[in-house]
Each structure stands twice: as structure tokens, then as C-alpha cells.
Amino acid sequence: MSELEGNCLVCQSGGPTAVINASLAGVIEEALNHECIEEIYGGLNGVVGLLNEDLVDLASESQQTIRLLKSSPGSALGTCKFAFKKDEDLERALEVFKAHNIRYFFYIGDSESMAMLDQLDALAKEQGFEMRIIGIPKTINNDISATDHTPGYGSIIKHVATTVREMACDNESIGEGDYVSILEVQGRNSGWIAAGAALAKRRDEPHDPPHIILLPEIAFDPEKFVADVQKVLAREKYCLIVVGEGLVDLDGNYVSAKASSTDAFGHVQLGGAGEFLRGVIETRLGVSARSCKLGVAGRAATHNASQADSDEAYQAGSAAVVQAVENGKSGKMITLQRAEADSYKCETGWVDLSDVPATSKQLPSEWINDDGISMNFPFVKYATPLIQGEVQLTWENGLPVFAKIRGSRVDKLLSAYEM
Amino acid sequence: MSELEGNCLVCQSGGPTAVINASLAGVIEEALNHECIEEIYGGLNGVVGLLNEDLVDLASESQQTIRLLKSSPGSALGTCKFAFKKDEDLERALEVFKAHNIRYFFYIGDSESMAMLDQLDALAKEQGFEMRIIGIPKTINNDISATDHTPGYGSIIKHVATTVREMACDNESIGEGDYVSILEVQGRNSGWIAAGAALAKRRDEPHDPPHIILLPEIAFDPEKFVADVQKVLAREKYCLIVVGEGLVDLDGNYVSAKASSTDAFGHVQLGGAGEFLRGVIETRLGVSARSCKLGVAGRAATHNASQADSDEAYQAGSAAVVQAVENGKSGKMITLQRAEADSYKCETGWVDLSDVPATSKQLPSEWINDDGISMNFPFVKYATPLIQGEVQLTWENGLPVFAKIRGSRVDKLLSAYEM
């Protein structure tokens, strides 16, 4: 395999995770190891920056900044939810690649990003522009089918399970059979994140909190729910519920849409699934309930990120460079695979971008217990290795310090592009 | 001062903090140092356990458990919001003290608990029962007047400010002048907790997030609010707002009551202040907003507790024992005081229980900037020392392990009491 000389570009897309910047660090540090890579560019705000030629010189960032990326939330290069809308977008991207001699493009994103990357790879081949395009998976939602799990998932479920354990101590000390609390977590379309709360239970202690996990996969039945809460309150001093934001009712509508409210200006606003459940409990059972909502603060909680997850995110970033440079791969997404071994070991692999299904990976229904509100051992066995170890932040004066890309701009060489 | 021989009892009351168990550990470990203290009892669920004679033998707990208390959320002995309702309650408490030869009573609680303790102390003196009663302050709300600050406050504001820094990284990477996010924090009656978010700003960077802090002390004016958000969005890529749950409108009503909603059963439920603001932003500005609500998960976040706060909580517990045993004090509450020194140093002192005002300590209005949405340097100077250092948890298999009091019961000696 002859080495391909030129510059590399890395972009981030979609919602940030606690470890997406670890993947970025993996790309940058690995790229520095390969002499065929001349410049290391970052595109600001995903492909939007690519189309606009908003590129920065990442090699000029300090080593301290790159190290700090491994423990910084957000997407340090900025991100976007933009998808190519027209053929011209793809062609423009190629133009930018050519203008800046970008021969390696690494894109950290979810399944939709991978589909876009596949188009880009096809066009480069069609135009005979030799380059290598590799996707690096990321999402807290763990819903990319082609990989065993996605970087970002381990950290959010570590934080959710930690929060459950902490709330449990708090609630238990207050409750005397009449205290209900609800933790709403992200997950619009699947219960992967809510399911992760199950890790808070100690082994062989099925009555440990969370007492009830409500998954978007299982339609919400208020009668069953009320009975489940009553059962827990009769048995325990309190009831701790975890709910995925995308909980739906028997008609398939989000329950959060029902918790609609009227604001100061007479307009309707949506509450969350947690607030909805609070209403159900208070009106049906006459006991007070409290809800917490992690929301964006959950996925940003790098202060409680999983070291395993961070390491794997970094590994995925670095593997992308290795596959592209050393193995000449293009049109692939890096995957995480469990190695055949007695204990958990994660290896990277790759899959053709065209084989990354657009549909979300579902939480396997056989991992949900028959009660519909708890997870069984195969899930716990799957998820436990992903939350091991604690990412250490850099603290200064009592607060964490995070990386900030200085962003030394690369000169634009093309005329402006109308998106 | 002749030493008073007998048993000691410690109870916890009110809402837990991230470090209330550190005070408990301080009491237990210091009590072990004094031979005049024979048995170390804990009362379950605050004074409820006292009246019911629900006592446990704390000396029989393992050293590991006591050490783990310093990094465990909740109130390990259980808590209560119960206040003595009748004279008989006080007399019953004295009976229990006498029956179990309890000569030292330590109560970890807020201002209301201190008032109760004062009554108890007066009754003991009236009855000529020699004993020593000391209060140990705790509350996330920082609203006990007689002390410079209260154990529990430093940890919650460390967590709030950390969360703001993390959300800022996340929001900044997404926003392009149209992203608004809201973090709702506890504080029903005062803005002490919301104000703590100001620590997230770097020194001399007034435009750092949080861009807007809404305090219960300042009536909510929707017109000014909308203008403030617009100003931030014009200047920054995003707008991060922190709001105390007790935000009130110009008529003095909780805004959260306005975010009332109709649940699945046609009943009204209250949303939170954060959801209320989301409604205002989305309807008035037409930009989408997201809210997070730390709620109980915030005060329980021992995984991000302040070491300074934990140390001071421990110190307060241990000082209570020293004051009672060595100095023969009774009817006092332990206080935290800033030592006269170049750098921050915290010392304990004491105040008569009768001098602990029942009214809440207000957030000084002179610490709020004229814009009404940010804090000035004197506040930052006051609060910064309280968040220094990071409590280290005990992690096992990726999750924190917390103390659980085994609770070896002390035999009851009295007949049951009707509360």
C-alpha cells in the first residue's frame, strides 16, 4: 500500500457526548504519528464548516489543550445537525477537499452522518480524487447498529446509575412508604439510556432502586404504573422511578405532550415525561412526588464520565487514522467489538459505511424483564464493562477546566458558498 | 469542669445534604475519643426516632462504614421534617434521655431544628437533668443566620457551577445565536444556590456563562427577561440561564405555579420554574429552549462534593462533641467562622441556640449586580473558598459505594409513645 500524502480534516457532528472530544484527541494524536499527513485541520461546526471552508489548524494547538480534550464535554470544534440537502453540497465538499489537499477526512457522528459520509466517499471515487474517508461513531443513544456499542453511551449510563444511587440514599433517608421521586433521562426514541439505570442495582438485589424503569419501548399504561408504584411503596420506604424522555402512551403519543401547560402568555408548552408522571402519582395516589431532569446536563457530565468509554472513544479516533493511513481504507466506519476473552476487552474493527443501517439499533426486548420495568442479567452483563473507571478532570480553584480550541484559521481559498 | 459521664445520641433532620453524613462521622469519631461517653447512639429519622425510642448502637458499626459516611449522600440515620407539636413531645424526649442515660444530644439540622433544640435544653435544665445539647448546622440553602455559612452549601454550589461549565461547553458547540438552555436549581425561598452558579464565570470574564441568573429575591419581569435573553443571543452563540425554583412574579407568586398543566386525568399539576421560562422563551422569541432540573439529584451529588465543605461538616460535628464534653457547653449551635488570616481558614465557634434567628439569612442584596441577573465580586470572594477540593468516593465496578448503617437496635425501655 503506497502512502497517500496530504492533509487531514476532522469534524464533529450531532449532539455532543461526554467523550466525543476524546475521539477528536485520538485522531489528532494519531495523525501526528504519520509523516504522510502534513497538516491536521479541524472543521468548525461539522460539515457546515467544511462547506464554508471554516477550517482551523489543529497542529498549532498546545499539547495541553489536546490532552485536556480527553476530559472536556461538548464538541470542541463545534457541531451541527446539518445534512447535505443537494448534490451541490457534496460537490462543494469535494472542492474544499481538493483546494486544501485534504486526503483524509474523519467524521465523528451518528448513523445519519455515516450515510452522508458514504455519499461523499462515492463522489470522491467517481471523480477519481484519491482520498480516505472514515467515520467514527458517537452517540449517547447507543443506537448505531453496526457496532457493539457507541462511544458516549458508557459515560451517560455511568452518570445515570450514579445519580440513581445517590438519589436512593437521599430518598431512603426521607421516605417512610410515601416518597416518590422520578429521574427523567434522555432518549427520545429508545430506552438504552433509561435501561442503564439498572446498573445501580447491586447484584442479586432486584428490589434495589431504580424500582421502576419506564422505557419508550413499552407503551405507558397508567393503571399498571399506579399498581407498580403502590407495590413498591408497600415494600420499600420510597419509590424511585427512571423514565426515558420518549415515553409513549398506548396510542403511541409522547406522554410529555400530555403534560402540556399554559404559560404566562396563554401559550401551550410541553412539560417532560417526568413531570407527567409526577402528575399521575400525585393525583392518583395522593402522595407527593418530585422529579429531576438530567437533560443536556447528563450528556455533558464529563465530571462523571467512564474511563473505559473515554479510552474507547480515543481508540476509535486513533483507529480511524490507522485504518486510513496504514491500511488504505476508505468508506468505512470504525466499530467497537468485544474481543473473544474471559474478561471484557474492546477492539476496534470497521464496517462499510453502506452497511451501517439507517435504522436505530433497538434495545433488545429479551433484555427487558417480563414485569416491563426492569432489565435482566444479559443487559447488565452487556453494559457493566462500559462504565468502568473514572475520568479525572483538571480542577482549578474548585472547578473543572475544559479545553478550548484556540482555532487558528486556515486561509480560505474558494469563493463563499450558498448553503 | 467535671466530666459528665453517660451516653450520647446523635440524630439528623430536615433535607439531606451531600455532606450531612460527614458531620455524623465527626460526632461519632470524636465521641470515641472521650471516655466519659459510654455508648454512642443514633436516633433513626430525627426526633421521630427519639420519641419512638428507635435507637441504634453506632459504636458497633464498622470503621469502614464510619469512614464511608464522609463520602455518602442522604442522611444515613434517616431524617424527618417533624417538629414537636405539644409539650408532651418535649417531655417524652426527656424521658428517653433519662431512660437511656443520654447525657449528650447532638442534632444536625436547620434553624427550625435549632429552635426545637432550645426548648429541649430549657426543659432539661428545668427538670434538673444534667445533659448537654448541641446543634450542628446543615442546609444546602445557606440560610442559617448565626453562622458564616452552613455545611452543605459549598457542595451544592460546586455541583451547580460545575454543571454550568459543562453545559456551557455543550451548548456553545451547538449554538449559533439561537440556543437557549435553562438549569433549574433548588432554593424555594432564596437565591443562595442559584447565585452559586456565578462561580462558573472565569475571573474578569463577565460574559462567561451563566449569562442570566434568576433569583427568587428579584421579581420576574417577562419584558426585562426577554430583552436580557435577546441581548445575550446577539452577543453569544447561546444563552445559558440558571433559575432558582422559587422564582416569583411581580405579584409575589411562584412562576412555577403558572406553568400549571393538565395531566392525563384532567388534574392540574405544577411544572417547574425552568419549564416556565422555556415556555416564555419559545413563545416570545420563537427559539427553542431546553431545561434541566437538578432537583434532589443536586443535593445528593456527593460524587461532586466539595472537600472543603465535607471537612467543615466533619469539623462541625467533632466540635460539637468537644464543646459539650471538654467545655461543658449546652444550648449552643456550632458555627463556622472565617479566621482572621490572609487566606481563607475556617474555624468553629458557637452561638446560643436562643440567638439563632428563626428567620432565614438573606442573600445580601449588595452582592447582586445592578443588572439583577449576575453576582458581584464580594459574593464570589465569599463563596469560592467553600467549593475547594474534590471529595473522593469509593468506587466499585464503575459505581460509587455508599455507607449503610447496619443499625444494631438498642433495646426499648419505655412503653410506646403516641405522636
Side-chain angles (χ1 to χ4, degrees), chain A residues 79-119:
Chain A
T79 181
C80 70
K81 303 222 168 186
F82 179 84
F84 290 149
K85 289 184 193 69
K86 44 187 200 274
D87 290 346
E88 287 82 356
D89 290 342
L90 284 164
E91 279 157 23
R92 167 70 177 191
L94 256 290
E95 265 180 66
V96 176
F97 291 153
K98 290 173 186 169
H100 292 275
N101 194 31
I102 291 165
R103 299 290 177 163
Y104 298 94
F105 180 46
F106 304 106
Y107 202 43
I108 312 170
D110 53 22
S111 339
E112 285 171 40
S113 305
M114 299 307 148
M116 212 162 68
L117 223 49
D118 193 30
Q119 292 178 288

Side-chain angles (χ1 to χ4, degrees), chain A residues 269-270 275 278 299 303, chain B residues 170 269-270 275 278 303:
Chain A
Q269 61 179 96
L270 297 184
E275 283 296 303
R278 186 160 77 90
R299 74 179 186 203
H303 77 273
Chain B
D170 184 289
Q269 61 179 97
L270 297 184
E275 282 297 304
R278 186 159 77 89
H303 77 272

Side-chain angles (χ1 to χ4, degrees), chain B residues 227-298:
Chain B
D228 284 340
V229 173
Q230 280 176 314
K231 201 189 298 175
V232 173
L233 288 181
R235 192 186 69 215
E236 312 286 335
K237 297 168 77 178
Y238 66 106
C239 177
L240 202 164
I241 300 162
V242 173
V243 60
E245 60 179 341
L247 187 67
V248 294
D249 63 18
L250 295 166
D251 299 323
N253 300 314
Y254 288 127
V255 300
S256 56
K258 284 192 178 173
S260 62
S261 68
T262 307
D263 68 22
F265 308 96
H267 298 275
V268 167
Q269 61 179 97
L270 297 184
E275 282 297 304
F276 167 80
L277 295 177
R278 186 159 77 89
V280 173
I281 291 159
E282 296 192 346
T283 55
R284 291 288 296 267
L285 293 174
V287 299
S288 76
R290 288 161 188 240
S291 74
C292 306
K293 182 177 176 180
L294 284 184
V296 166

Side-chain angles (χ1 to χ4, degrees), chain A residues 16 45 73-75 78-79 158-159 161-163 165-167 169-174 176 179 199-200 222 258-265 267 269-271 275-276 278-280 283-284 290-297 299-304 384 387-388 390 395 397-400 402 404, chain B residues 16 45 73-75 78-79 158-159 161-163 165-167 169-174 176 179 199-200 222 258-265 267 269-271 275-276 278-280 283-284 290-297 299-304 384 387-388 390 395 397-400 402 404:
Chain A
N45 305 314
S75 296
T79 181
K158 182 187 184 81
H159 188 53
T162 297
T163 302
R165 284 214 171 163
E166 291 182 330
M167 287 176 72
C169 287
D170 185 288
N171 295 176
E172 186 179 14
S173 61
I174 292 172
E176 282 299 322
Y179 193 94
L199 300 181
K258 286 193 176 174
S260 62
S261 68
T262 309
D263 69 21
F265 308 97
H267 298 277
Q269 61 179 96
L270 297 184
E275 283 296 303
F276 168 78
R278 186 160 77 90
V280 173
T283 54
R284 291 288 295 267
R290 287 161 189 240
S291 74
C292 306
K293 183 178 175 179
L294 284 184
V296 167
R299 74 179 186 203
T302 303
H303 77 273
N304 193 25
T384 299
I387 67 164
Q388 299 301 308
E390 291 73 50
W395 296 86
N397 207 12
L399 289 174
F402 298 126
K404 184 136 184 101
Chain B
N45 304 315
S75 297
T79 182
K158 182 188 184 83
H159 188 53
T162 297
T163 302
R165 284 216 171 160
E166 291 182 330
M167 287 175 71
C169 287
D170 184 289
N171 296 176
E172 187 178 13
S173 59
I174 293 172
E176 281 300 322
Y179 193 94
L199 300 181
K258 284 192 178 173
S260 62
S261 68
T262 307
D263 68 22
F265 308 96
H267 298 275
Q269 61 179 97
L270 297 184
E275 282 297 304
F276 167 80
R278 186 159 77 89
V280 173
T283 55
R284 291 288 296 267
R290 288 161 188 240
S291 74
C292 306
K293 182 177 176 180
L294 284 184
V296 166
R299 75 179 184 202
T302 303
H303 77 272
N304 194 24
T384 299
I387 67 164
Q388 299 301 307
E390 292 72 50
W395 296 86
N397 208 13
L399 289 174
F402 297 126
K404 183 133 184 100

Side-chain angles (χ1 to χ4, degrees), chain B residues 7 17-18 34 38-39 57-58 73 81 123 139 163 165 170 187 203 273 285 290 301 314 326 368 404 409:
Chain B
N7 302 324
T17 77
H34 299 277
E38 286 151 3
E39 303 290 342
D57 174 16
L58 291 174
K81 303 224 168 184
L123 188 67
T139 166
T163 302
R165 284 216 171 160
D170 184 289
R203 193 163 180 167
L285 293 174
R290 288 161 188 240
Y314 183 91
E326 295 182 2
I368 306 170
K404 183 133 184 100
R409 290 291 181 127

